[in-house]
Amino acid sequence: VAEYPLYHGGTVRLQLAVDLVEMAEARRLLDLTADLVDIVEVGTPLIIREGVRAVTELKSAYPHNLVLADLKIMDAGGLEARIGFDAGADIVTVLGAAHEETLQGALASARASGGEIMVDLIAVPDPAARARDVDALGADYVCVHTAFDVQASGADPLLHLQHVGPVLRRSRLAVAGGIAPATARAVAAHRPDIVVVGGAIACSQDPARAAREIRSELRRAAAKE
Amino acid sequence: VAEYPLYHGGTVRLQLAVDLVEMAEARRLLDLTADLVDIVEVGTPLIIREGVRAVTELKSAYPHNLVLADLKIMDAGGLEARIGFDAGADIVTVLGAAHEETLQGALASARASGGEIMVDLIAVPDPAARARDVDALGADYVCVHTAFDVQASGADPLLHLQHVGPVLRRSRLAVAGGIAPATARAVAAHRPDIVVVGGAIACSQDPARAAREIRSELRRAAAKE
């Protein structure tokens, strides 16, 4: 955490999920917000659309941010993670639903590249049990993630968060899925290392203001402790 | 099946998984083999590397083949499937591990685009139970898939295949993962609609001969019935 003192005042880092599918739009959003976030996430739809050249372009345009490639790897962990790191990603995601061998392959690529792996627990039936496994395997981050497709049905990310955080020994905690200014403080109370925000910043009329609001909520949560 | 009379003699179609990461290599392979296979699969690593322009380019180069985009969708099913279909894919894959809402979103995009959805059961703990669910949701294909990362540990795809096939009512059966000439006939005996072959063709010294060998094994299996 001390490595990126410019980007976070408290104990939590802010990751902006860029789920737009047009590079020009992504650049417009990040020109407004990159200095307000720690980690730029190149979202899965953008990678599907553009390939990892989107990672290379955004890392080059915003060299002071960490860049996460949301590859959601399910197989060929070694190969696919290497494609992400070779393109300039600092962090690559692997699905918690994948086989352990896939995570191990991705971790080996990360170690060889000086990068990190985030395991995304999206749609995993028992997130706390899986978190314990992937923590033991050496995942750098474990992400409690409420899928976009179930956010409308009122799924509560805090429910899993409170069970996953306590089982982690080595991995740091991340949380994603529909987080907005109104919910950021409650999320931050669970002491994640990374809070991922997408639409609440990207779809705001004033993305920089939305990012500042969330940062301020996260700081307040940190100050409370 | 009757729609593609040129490409399969029996009841089973051959899908070639192009898991190379360089477009030039993919084109060289397909120039040798496209007329011997029914479906060209644009593999996940190639999509990560190049984005869906790889789908567009291969569909345009091999218009007589169906093209499957192996997006392995885990979230944002409607959006991500649409990106695949808009790029020219005939079939897009969704992970069986995803939420049902994600599959439903992808199916809606498929219906709107005239495309089809293959649900990939890779790493799903109980493939037969999940197959029953996604069949009921309207998946066009259900794929029993032994992950690349566990093929070395001797996982047996036939084990799941014999349990998944019988539960399907609407969906057609596909099978993938380490299938080679020596195993093609045993796989075909389970009457899949699609047999997916990757390395056994792509990494062969003579890819066209390997494709012909597998076609002939598949035909023999069909003739036996």
Side-chain angles (χ1 to χ4, degrees), chain A residues 19-95:
Chain A
D19 278 328
L20 301 160
V21 297
E22 300 287 349
M23 276 305 287
E25 276 183 79
R27 291 293 301 272
R28 269 195 299 275
L29 170 64
L30 287 166
D31 283 345
L32 296 170
T33 55
D35 62 338
L36 297 168
V37 305
D38 303 290
I39 303 168
V40 169
E41 171 189 329
V42 187
T44 313
L46 186 52
I47 288 168
I48 290 175
R49 182 74 172 268
E50 294 292 334
V52 288
R53 63 171 57 83
V55 173
T56 307
E57 181 175 333
L58 295 179
K59 183 68 190 179
S60 155
Y62 309 101
H64 300 298
N65 293 97
L66 292 181
V67 170
L68 177 144
D70 193 16
L71 303 186
K72 291 191 174 72
I73 294 172
M74 188 63 163
D75 195 12
L79 169 66
E80 293 187 3
R82 194 163 57 245
I83 296 172
F85 292 123
D86 284 352
D90 299 290
I91 307 171
V92 164
T93 62
V94 174
L95 290 173

Coordinates of all heavy atoms in Angstrom, one line a residue, chain A residues 19-95:
Chain A
D19 N -16.0 -0.3 -18.1 CA -16.8 -1.4 -18.8 C -17.3 -0.8 -20.1 O -18.2 -1.5 -20.7 CB -17.9 -1.9 -17.9 CG -17.3 -3.0 -17.0 OD1 -16.3 -3.7 -17.4 OD2 -17.8 -3.1 -15.9
L20 N -16.9 0.3 -20.5 CA -17.3 0.9 -21.8 C -16.7 0.0 -22.9 O -15.6 -0.6 -22.7 CB -16.8 2.3 -21.9 CG -17.4 3.2 -20.8 CD1 -16.5 4.4 -20.7 CD2 -18.8 3.6 -21.2
V21 N -17.3 0.0 -24.1 CA -16.7 -0.8 -25.1 C -16.0 0.0 -26.2 O -15.4 -0.6 -27.1 CB -17.8 -1.8 -25.8 CG1 -18.3 -2.7 -24.7 CG2 -18.9 -1.0 -26.4
E22 N -16.0 1.3 -26.1 CA -15.3 2.1 -27.1 C -14.1 2.7 -26.4 O -14.2 3.4 -25.3 CB -16.2 3.3 -27.6 CG -17.5 2.8 -28.3 CD -17.2 2.2 -29.6 OE1 -16.1 2.4 -30.2 OE2 -18.1 1.6 -30.2
M23 N -12.9 2.6 -27.0 CA -11.7 3.2 -26.4 C -11.8 4.7 -26.3 O -11.3 5.2 -25.3 CB -10.5 2.8 -27.3 CG -9.9 1.5 -27.1 SD -9.4 1.2 -25.4 CE -7.9 2.2 -25.2
A24 N -12.4 5.4 -27.2 CA -12.5 6.8 -27.1 C -13.2 7.2 -25.9 O -12.8 8.2 -25.2 CB -13.1 7.4 -28.4
E25 N -14.3 6.5 -25.6 CA -15.1 6.8 -24.4 C -14.3 6.5 -23.1 O -14.4 7.2 -22.2 CB -16.4 6.0 -24.4 CG -17.5 6.5 -25.1 CD -18.7 5.5 -24.9 OE1 -19.4 5.6 -23.9 OE2 -19.0 4.7 -25.8
A26 N -13.6 5.4 -23.2 CA -12.8 5.0 -22.0 C -11.7 6.1 -21.7 O -11.5 6.5 -20.6 CB -12.1 3.7 -22.3
R27 N -11.1 6.6 -22.8 CA -10.1 7.6 -22.6 C -10.7 8.9 -22.0 O -10.2 9.6 -21.2 CB -9.4 7.9 -23.9 CG -8.5 6.8 -24.5 CD -7.3 6.6 -23.5 NE -6.5 7.8 -23.4 CZ -5.5 8.1 -24.3 NH1 -5.2 7.3 -25.2 NH2 -4.8 9.2 -24.1
R28 N -11.9 9.3 -22.5 CA -12.6 10.5 -22.0 C -12.9 10.4 -20.5 O -12.6 11.3 -19.8 CB -13.9 10.8 -22.8 CG -13.7 11.7 -24.0 CD -15.1 12.2 -24.5 NE -16.0 11.1 -24.9 CZ -16.0 10.6 -26.1 NH1 -15.2 11.0 -27.0 NH2 -16.9 9.6 -26.4
L29 N -13.4 9.2 -20.1 CA -13.7 8.9 -18.7 C -12.4 9.0 -17.9 O -12.4 9.6 -16.8 CB -14.3 7.5 -18.6 CG -14.5 7.0 -17.2 CD1 -15.5 7.9 -16.4 CD2 -15.0 5.6 -17.2
L30 N -11.3 8.4 -18.4 CA -10.1 8.3 -17.6 C -9.4 9.6 -17.5 O -8.7 10.0 -16.6 CB -9.2 7.2 -18.1 CG -9.8 5.8 -17.7 CD1 -9.1 4.7 -18.5 CD2 -9.6 5.5 -16.2
D31 N -9.5 10.4 -18.6 CA -8.9 11.8 -18.5 C -9.5 12.6 -17.4 O -8.8 13.4 -16.8 CB -9.1 12.5 -19.9 CG -8.1 12.0 -20.9 OD1 -7.1 11.3 -20.6 OD2 -8.3 12.2 -22.1
L32 N -10.7 12.3 -17.1 CA -11.4 13.0 -16.0 C -11.1 12.4 -14.6 O -11.3 13.1 -13.6 CB -12.9 13.0 -16.2 CG -13.5 13.7 -17.4 CD1 -15.0 13.4 -17.6 CD2 -13.3 15.2 -17.3
T33 N -10.7 11.2 -14.5 CA -10.8 10.5 -13.3 C -9.5 9.7 -12.9 O -9.3 9.3 -11.7 CB -11.9 9.4 -13.3 OG1 -11.7 8.5 -14.4 CG2 -13.3 10.0 -13.3
A34 N -8.5 9.6 -13.8 CA -7.4 8.7 -13.5 C -6.6 9.1 -12.3 O -6.1 8.3 -11.5 CB -6.5 8.6 -14.7
D35 N -6.5 10.5 -12.0 CA -5.8 10.9 -10.9 C -6.6 10.8 -9.6 O -6.0 11.0 -8.5 CB -5.3 12.4 -11.1 CG -6.5 13.3 -11.2 OD1 -7.6 12.9 -11.6 OD2 -6.3 14.5 -11.0
L36 N -7.8 10.3 -9.7 CA -8.6 10.2 -8.5 C -8.8 8.7 -8.1 O -9.4 8.4 -7.1 CB -10.0 10.8 -8.7 CG -10.1 12.3 -9.0 CD1 -11.4 12.7 -9.5 CD2 -9.7 13.0 -7.7
V37 N -8.3 7.8 -8.9 CA -8.4 6.4 -8.6 C -7.0 5.8 -8.6 O -6.0 6.3 -9.2 CB -9.3 5.6 -9.7 CG1 -10.6 6.3 -9.7 CG2 -8.6 5.5 -11.0
D38 N -6.9 4.6 -7.9 CA -5.6 3.9 -7.8 C -5.4 3.0 -9.0 O -4.3 2.9 -9.6 CB -5.5 3.2 -6.5 CG -5.8 4.1 -5.3 OD1 -4.9 4.9 -5.0 OD2 -6.9 4.0 -4.7
I39 N -6.5 2.2 -9.3 CA -6.3 1.1 -10.2 C -7.3 1.3 -11.4 O -8.5 1.6 -11.1 CB -6.6 -0.2 -9.5 CG1 -5.7 -0.4 -8.4 CG2 -6.5 -1.4 -10.5 CD1 -6.0 -1.6 -7.4
V40 N -6.9 1.3 -12.6 CA -7.7 1.3 -13.8 C -8.0 -0.1 -14.2 O -7.1 -0.9 -14.5 CB -7.0 2.1 -14.9 CG1 -7.8 1.9 -16.2 CG2 -6.9 3.5 -14.6
E41 N -9.3 -0.5 -14.2 CA -9.7 -1.8 -14.6 C -10.1 -1.8 -16.1 O -11.1 -1.1 -16.4 CB -10.8 -2.4 -13.8 CG -11.4 -3.7 -14.3 CD -12.7 -4.1 -13.6 OE1 -12.8 -3.9 -12.4 OE2 -13.5 -4.7 -14.3
V42 N -9.4 -2.6 -16.9 CA -9.9 -2.7 -18.3 C -10.9 -3.8 -18.2 O -10.6 -5.0 -18.0 CB -8.7 -3.1 -19.2 CG1 -9.2 -3.1 -20.7 CG2 -7.5 -2.1 -19.0
G43 N -12.2 -3.5 -18.4 CA -13.3 -4.4 -18.2 C -13.3 -5.5 -19.3 O -12.8 -5.3 -20.4
T44 N -14.0 -6.6 -18.9 CA -14.1 -7.7 -19.8 C -14.7 -7.3 -21.2 O -14.2 -7.7 -22.2 CB -14.9 -8.9 -19.2 OG1 -14.4 -9.1 -17.9 CG2 -14.8 -10.1 -20.0
P45 N -15.8 -6.5 -21.2 CA -16.4 -6.2 -22.5 C -15.4 -5.4 -23.4 O -15.3 -5.6 -24.6 CB -17.6 -5.3 -22.2 CG -17.9 -5.7 -20.8 CD -16.6 -6.0 -20.1
L46 N -14.6 -4.6 -22.8 CA -13.6 -3.8 -23.6 C -12.5 -4.7 -24.1 O -12.0 -4.6 -25.2 CB -13.0 -2.7 -22.7 CG -12.0 -1.7 -23.4 CD1 -12.6 -1.1 -24.6 CD2 -11.7 -0.6 -22.4
I47 N -12.1 -5.7 -23.3 CA -11.1 -6.7 -23.8 C -11.7 -7.6 -24.9 O -11.0 -7.8 -25.9 CB -10.6 -7.5 -22.6 CG1 -9.7 -6.6 -21.7 CG2 -9.8 -8.7 -23.1 CD1 -9.3 -7.2 -20.4
I48 N -12.9 -8.0 -24.7 CA -13.5 -8.8 -25.8 C -13.6 -7.9 -27.1 O -13.3 -8.4 -28.2 CB -15.0 -9.2 -25.4 CG1 -14.9 -10.3 -24.3 CG2 -15.7 -9.7 -26.6 CD1 -16.3 -10.7 -23.8
R49 N -13.9 -6.7 -26.9 CA -14.0 -5.8 -28.1 C -12.6 -5.5 -28.8 O -12.4 -5.6 -30.0 CB -14.7 -4.5 -27.7 CG -14.9 -3.5 -28.8 CD -16.0 -4.0 -29.7 NE -16.3 -2.9 -30.7 CZ -17.3 -2.0 -30.5 NH1 -18.0 -2.0 -29.4 NH2 -17.4 -1.0 -31.3
E50 N -11.7 -5.1 -27.9 CA -10.4 -4.6 -28.5 C -9.2 -5.5 -28.3 O -8.1 -5.3 -28.8 CB -10.1 -3.3 -27.8 CG -11.1 -2.2 -28.0 CD -11.0 -1.7 -29.5 OE1 -9.9 -1.9 -30.1 OE2 -12.0 -1.2 -30.0
G51 N -9.3 -6.6 -27.5 CA -8.2 -7.4 -27.1 C -7.3 -6.6 -26.1 O -7.6 -5.5 -25.7
V52 N -6.1 -7.2 -25.8 CA -5.3 -6.6 -24.8 C -4.6 -5.4 -25.2 O -3.9 -4.7 -24.4 CB -4.3 -7.6 -24.2 CG1 -5.0 -8.6 -23.3 CG2 -3.4 -8.3 -25.3
R53 N -4.7 -5.0 -26.5 CA -4.2 -3.7 -26.9 C -4.8 -2.6 -26.1 O -4.2 -1.5 -25.9 CB -4.3 -3.4 -28.4 CG -5.7 -3.3 -28.9 CD -5.7 -2.8 -30.4 NE -4.9 -3.7 -31.2 CZ -5.3 -4.9 -31.8 NH1 -6.6 -5.3 -31.5 NH2 -4.6 -5.6 -32.5
A54 N -6.0 -2.8 -25.6 CA -6.7 -1.8 -24.7 C -5.9 -1.6 -23.4 O -5.7 -0.5 -22.9 CB -8.1 -2.2 -24.4
V55 N -5.3 -2.7 -22.9 CA -4.5 -2.7 -21.7 C -3.2 -1.9 -21.9 O -2.9 -1.0 -21.2 CB -4.2 -4.1 -21.2 CG1 -3.2 -4.1 -20.1 CG2 -5.4 -4.9 -20.9
T56 N -2.6 -2.2 -23.1 CA -1.3 -1.5 -23.4 C -1.6 0.0 -23.6 O -0.8 0.8 -23.0 CB -0.8 -2.1 -24.7 OG1 -0.7 -3.5 -24.6 CG2 0.6 -1.6 -25.0
E57 N -2.7 0.3 -24.2 CA -2.9 1.7 -24.5 C -3.2 2.5 -23.2 O -2.7 3.6 -23.0 CB -4.1 1.9 -25.5 CG -4.4 3.3 -25.8 CD -5.5 3.5 -26.9 OE1 -5.7 2.6 -27.7 OE2 -6.2 4.5 -26.8
L58 N -4.0 1.9 -22.3 CA -4.4 2.6 -21.1 C -3.2 2.6 -20.1 O -3.0 3.6 -19.4 CB -5.7 2.0 -20.5 CG -6.9 2.1 -21.3 CD1 -8.1 1.4 -20.7 CD2 -7.2 3.6 -21.7
K59 N -2.4 1.6 -20.1 CA -1.2 1.7 -19.2 C -0.3 2.7 -19.7 O 0.3 3.5 -18.9 CB -0.5 0.3 -19.2 CG 0.7 0.2 -18.3 CD 0.3 0.3 -16.8 CE 1.5 0.5 -15.9 NZ 1.1 0.5 -14.5
S60 N -0.1 2.9 -21.0 CA 0.7 3.9 -21.5 C 0.2 5.3 -21.3 O 0.9 6.2 -21.0 CB 0.9 3.6 -23.0 OG 1.3 4.7 -23.7
A61 N -1.1 5.4 -21.4 CA -1.8 6.8 -21.2 C -1.8 7.2 -19.7 O -1.8 8.4 -19.4 CB -3.2 6.7 -21.8
Y62 N -1.9 6.2 -18.8 CA -2.0 6.5 -17.4 C -1.0 5.7 -16.6 O -1.3 4.8 -15.8 CB -3.5 6.2 -16.9 CG -4.5 6.8 -17.8 CD1 -5.2 6.0 -18.8 CD2 -4.8 8.2 -17.8 CE1 -6.1 6.6 -19.7 CE2 -5.7 8.8 -18.6 CZ -6.3 8.0 -19.6 OH -7.2 8.6 -20.4
P63 N 0.3 6.0 -16.8 CA 1.4 5.2 -16.2 C 1.4 5.3 -14.7 O 2.1 4.4 -14.1 CB 2.6 5.8 -16.9 CG 2.2 7.2 -17.3 CD 0.8 7.2 -17.6
H64 N 0.8 6.3 -14.1 CA 0.8 6.3 -12.6 C -0.3 5.5 -12.0 O -0.3 5.4 -10.7 CB 0.7 7.8 -12.2 CG 1.8 8.7 -12.7 ND1 3.1 8.4 -12.4 CD2 1.8 9.7 -13.6 CE1 3.9 9.3 -13.1 NE2 3.1 10.1 -13.8
N65 N -1.1 4.9 -12.8 CA -2.1 4.0 -12.2 C -1.7 2.5 -12.4 O -1.0 2.2 -13.4 CB -3.5 4.2 -12.9 CG -4.1 5.5 -12.7 OD1 -4.0 6.4 -13.5 ND2 -4.8 5.6 -11.5
L66 N -2.1 1.7 -11.5 CA -2.0 0.3 -11.7 C -3.1 0.0 -12.8 O -4.2 0.6 -12.7 CB -2.3 -0.5 -10.5 CG -1.2 -0.5 -9.4 CD1 -1.6 -1.3 -8.2 CD2 0.2 -0.9 -9.9
V67 N -2.8 -1.0 -13.6 CA -3.9 -1.4 -14.6 C -4.2 -2.9 -14.4 O -3.3 -3.7 -14.3 CB -3.4 -1.2 -16.0 CG1 -4.3 -1.8 -17.0 CG2 -3.3 0.3 -16.3
L68 N -5.5 -3.2 -14.2 CA -6.0 -4.5 -14.0 C -6.7 -5.0 -15.3 O -7.6 -4.3 -15.8 CB -6.9 -4.6 -12.8 CG -7.6 -5.9 -12.5 CD1 -7.7 -6.2 -11.0 CD2 -9.0 -6.0 -13.2
A69 N -6.3 -6.1 -15.8 CA -7.0 -6.7 -17.0 C -8.0 -7.7 -16.5 O -7.6 -8.8 -15.9 CB -5.9 -7.3 -17.9
D70 N -9.3 -7.4 -16.7 CA -10.3 -8.3 -16.2 C -10.6 -9.4 -17.2 O -11.6 -9.5 -17.8 CB -11.6 -7.5 -15.9 CG -12.6 -8.3 -15.1 OD1 -12.2 -9.3 -14.5 OD2 -13.8 -7.9 -15.1
L71 N -9.6 -10.3 -17.3 CA -9.7 -11.4 -18.2 C -10.6 -12.5 -17.8 O -11.1 -13.3 -18.6 CB -8.3 -12.0 -18.5 CG -7.2 -11.1 -19.0 CD1 -5.9 -11.9 -19.3 CD2 -7.6 -10.3 -20.2
K72 N -10.9 -12.6 -16.5 CA -11.8 -13.6 -16.0 C -11.4 -15.0 -16.5 O -12.2 -15.8 -17.1 CB -13.3 -13.4 -16.3 CG -13.9 -12.2 -15.6 CD -15.4 -12.2 -15.8 CE -16.2 -11.1 -15.0 NZ -15.9 -9.8 -15.5
I73 N -10.2 -15.4 -16.2 CA -9.6 -16.6 -16.8 C -10.3 -17.8 -16.2 O -10.4 -17.9 -15.0 CB -8.1 -16.7 -16.5 CG1 -7.4 -15.5 -17.3 CG2 -7.5 -18.0 -16.9 CD1 -5.9 -15.4 -17.0
M74 N -10.7 -18.8 -17.1 CA -11.3 -20.0 -16.7 C -10.5 -21.2 -17.0 O -10.8 -22.3 -16.5 CB -12.7 -20.1 -17.3 CG -13.6 -21.2 -16.8 SD -14.0 -21.1 -15.1 CE -15.4 -22.2 -14.9
D75 N -9.5 -21.1 -18.0 CA -8.7 -22.2 -18.4 C -7.5 -21.6 -19.0 O -7.4 -20.4 -19.3 CB -9.5 -23.1 -19.4 CG -8.9 -24.5 -19.6 OD1 -8.0 -24.9 -18.9 OD2 -9.3 -25.1 -20.6
A76 N -6.5 -22.5 -19.2 CA -5.2 -22.1 -19.8 C -4.6 -20.9 -19.0 O -4.2 -19.9 -19.6 CB -5.4 -21.7 -21.3
G77 N -4.6 -21.1 -17.7 CA -4.2 -20.0 -16.8 C -2.9 -19.4 -17.1 O -2.7 -18.2 -17.1
G78 N -1.9 -20.3 -17.3 CA -0.5 -19.8 -17.6 C -0.5 -18.9 -18.8 O 0.0 -17.8 -18.8
L79 N -1.0 -19.4 -19.9 CA -1.0 -18.7 -21.2 C -1.8 -17.4 -21.2 O -1.3 -16.4 -21.6 CB -1.6 -19.7 -22.3 CG -1.8 -19.0 -23.6 CD1 -0.5 -18.6 -24.3 CD2 -2.6 -19.9 -24.6
E80 N -3.0 -17.5 -20.7 CA -3.8 -16.3 -20.7 C -3.3 -15.2 -19.8 O -3.4 -14.0 -20.2 CB -5.3 -16.7 -20.4 CG -5.9 -17.6 -21.6 CD -7.4 -17.9 -21.4 OE1 -8.0 -17.3 -20.5 OE2 -7.9 -18.6 -22.3
A81 N -2.9 -15.6 -18.6 CA -2.3 -14.5 -17.7 C -1.1 -13.9 -18.4 O -0.9 -12.7 -18.3 CB -2.0 -15.1 -16.4
R82 N -0.3 -14.7 -19.0 CA 0.9 -14.2 -19.6 C 0.6 -13.2 -20.7 O 1.2 -12.1 -20.9 CB 1.8 -15.3 -20.2 CG 3.2 -14.8 -20.6 CD 4.1 -16.0 -20.8 NE 3.7 -17.0 -21.8 CZ 3.3 -18.2 -21.5 NH1 3.4 -18.7 -20.3 NH2 3.0 -19.0 -22.6
I83 N -0.5 -13.4 -21.5 CA -0.9 -12.5 -22.5 C -1.3 -11.1 -21.9 O -0.9 -10.1 -22.4 CB -2.1 -13.0 -23.3 CG1 -1.7 -14.3 -24.1 CG2 -2.7 -12.0 -24.3 CD1 -2.9 -15.0 -24.8
G84 N -1.9 -11.2 -20.7 CA -2.3 -10.0 -20.0 C -1.1 -9.2 -19.5 O -0.9 -8.0 -19.7
F85 N -0.2 -10.0 -18.8 CA 1.0 -9.3 -18.3 C 1.9 -8.8 -19.4 O 2.5 -7.7 -19.3 CB 1.8 -10.3 -17.3 CG 1.1 -10.6 -16.1 CD1 0.8 -11.9 -15.7 CD2 0.6 -9.6 -15.2 CE1 0.1 -12.2 -14.6 CE2 -0.1 -9.9 -14.1 CZ -0.4 -11.2 -13.7
D86 N 2.1 -9.5 -20.5 CA 2.9 -9.1 -21.6 C 2.3 -7.8 -22.2 O 3.1 -7.0 -22.7 CB 3.0 -10.1 -22.7 CG 3.9 -11.3 -22.3 OD1 4.6 -11.2 -21.3 OD2 3.9 -12.3 -23.0
A87 N 1.0 -7.6 -22.1 CA 0.4 -6.4 -22.6 C 0.6 -5.2 -21.7 O 0.2 -4.1 -22.0 CB -1.1 -6.7 -22.9
G88 N 1.1 -5.5 -20.5 CA 1.3 -4.4 -19.6 C 0.4 -4.3 -18.3 O 0.5 -3.4 -17.5
A89 N -0.4 -5.4 -18.1 CA -1.3 -5.4 -16.9 C -0.4 -5.6 -15.7 O 0.6 -6.4 -15.7 CB -2.3 -6.5 -17.0
D90 N -0.8 -4.9 -14.6 CA -0.2 -5.2 -13.3 C -0.9 -6.3 -12.6 O -0.3 -7.0 -11.8 CB -0.2 -3.9 -12.5 CG 0.5 -2.7 -13.1 OD1 1.7 -2.8 -13.2 OD2 -0.2 -1.8 -13.6
I91 N -2.2 -6.4 -12.8 CA -3.0 -7.4 -12.1 C -3.9 -8.0 -13.2 O -4.4 -7.4 -14.1 CB -3.9 -6.8 -11.1 CG1 -3.1 -5.9 -10.1 CG2 -4.7 -7.8 -10.3 CD1 -3.9 -5.1 -9.1
V92 N -4.1 -9.4 -13.1 CA -4.9 -10.1 -14.0 C -5.9 -10.9 -13.2 O -5.6 -11.4 -12.1 CB -4.1 -11.0 -14.9 CG1 -5.0 -12.1 -15.6 CG2 -3.3 -10.2 -16.0
T93 N -7.2 -11.0 -13.6 CA -8.2 -11.7 -12.9 C -8.4 -13.2 -13.4 O -8.3 -13.4 -14.6 CB -9.6 -11.1 -12.9 OG1 -10.0 -11.0 -14.3 CG2 -9.5 -9.7 -12.3
V94 N -8.6 -14.1 -12.4 CA -8.9 -15.5 -12.7 C -10.2 -15.8 -12.0 O -10.4 -15.2 -10.9 CB -7.8 -16.4 -12.1 CG1 -8.1 -17.9 -12.3 CG2 -6.4 -16.1 -12.8
L95 N -11.0 -16.6 -12.5 CA -12.3 -16.9 -11.9 C -12.1 -17.9 -10.7 O -11.4 -18.9 -10.9 CB -13.3 -17.5 -12.9 CG -13.8 -16.5 -13.9 CD1 -14.6 -17.2 -15.0 CD2 -14.6 -15.4 -13.3

